[in-house]
Amino acid sequence: MSDFLTEYAAYCETHGRPDRIELMLCDINAVLRGKWLPGDDEKKLAEGMVRLPISTYAANILGAEVSATGLGIIVGDPDGRIVPIPGTMKPVPWAKGNMAQIQVEMLDPETGELSELSSRKLLANMVDRFHEKGWHPVLASELEFYLIQPRNSEDDAPVPPVRSPDAQNYDLEVLERMKDVLDDILEVSAIQGLATDTLIAEYGPGQFEVNFHHTDDVMKAADTALLFKRLVRGVARNHGLEATFMAKPYADFPGNGMHLHASVVDADGKNIFDDGSGKASDTLRAAVGGTLETMRDLHAIFAPHLNSYRRYRPMSFSPSAPDWGYDNRAAGVRLPEVKGPAARLEHRIAGADVNPYLVITAILGGMLHGLETNPDLPLPLDDPNAETAPRLTADWIRAVDRFSQSDIASKIFGERYRDIYSAIRLDEIDQLTNEISQVEYRAYLGRL
């Protein structure tokens, strides 16, 4: 842990000793959980004296443990030892006082190794599988979010910022009106080392999208997506607003997606998707085929929550089928470029409400499956002879059930993690679908 103390000393020299350090552990839902550590207690973290229950990795969306996972009080709820992730200590400019944040993981109390419940570890394992073949994924993500007026209660529906047009698609005046909060988002992103690229006004009222630069540091790409969501919410609060990455906050306006652009380079840095023909190479087509063939089995990763399934609608910018096309935004997998260093696929199925580590693991796992098995590829949507692919299910329960029995999910995530993830989703289904909604009272109570 001397590396952490060295990193901490360098941080203090640049930013001053923080009043406290936020220790941030990413759980299965990409909710950050952890502790506040006094800024003068860094040796306690360095010496492994800070702990959390290992079940913290696997809480449901409401924060409760799920006994069906085999974790928590039914096994005594043992602690895991918290360890800092090197290179992740950053200032928190939107917070009052001098506060720092650092990402952490936990060591398994039995093995002393990094816990198998870590979604970061699952992604690292997947990247290792590519490296074993001499390949290196290159990624760039896009994230959509809404800014909304502050609510008095968690039950209140969202309301867009004042003067937000219903369709603000690429509207530069919207960017100008929201300049203060958007400038702060980009400035804080730069301070925290998050490689933002373009920022646009998206279609819905108060909706925006940020693009991140391509990188061959896959873990950093996932970290960036996770930390950006926290950052946006924090900066928005300072401007008297809320921010949400909920998949579908408005019934009548577009949902929030997380799109992932992915290519693969070899040891010499050459894009393996480019064969010099100027057309989609066999390698690129194989990777696309793998993502399509695995999409139904992995749907519960791309759409983890009840609200996630409201995002999929025909003739929208939220694709809802395992299909593909050339520069076609209606496709589940789009090919923006098929030649040269930029040859890549864009996976457009996931909502912004996902765990980015799990989504990237799933997409890379699908690509690797295709590269290894070369599955049949249907005609692209652009072809007049293309057959319409059956839509992905709109049934949350069916998606989770399919994932829970999937061999490819087990191959990508491991059987134990697949089962734990399924148990948590089934618990969420039980928690949320057993509550009678206001719309049911309005429609039925006085009429039946």
Side-chain angles (χ1 to χ4, degrees), residues 130-147:
F130 275 81
H131 289 175
E132 288 169 2
K133 295 180 177 293
W135 295 336
H136 303 270
V138 178
L139 308 178
S141 65
E142 302 170 356
L143 273 173
E144 295 167 334
F145 62 93
Y146 275 94
L147 295 175

Side-chain angles (χ1 to χ4, degrees), residues 11-32:
Y11 177 92
C12 292
E13 185 174 347
T14 302
H15 302 284
R17 182 177 287 273
D19 302 323
R20 63 175 180 266
I21 311 168
E22 287 191 305
L23 310 181
M24 305 187 308
L25 182 90
C26 179
D27 78 0
I28 204 165
N29 298 298
V31 173
L32 288 168

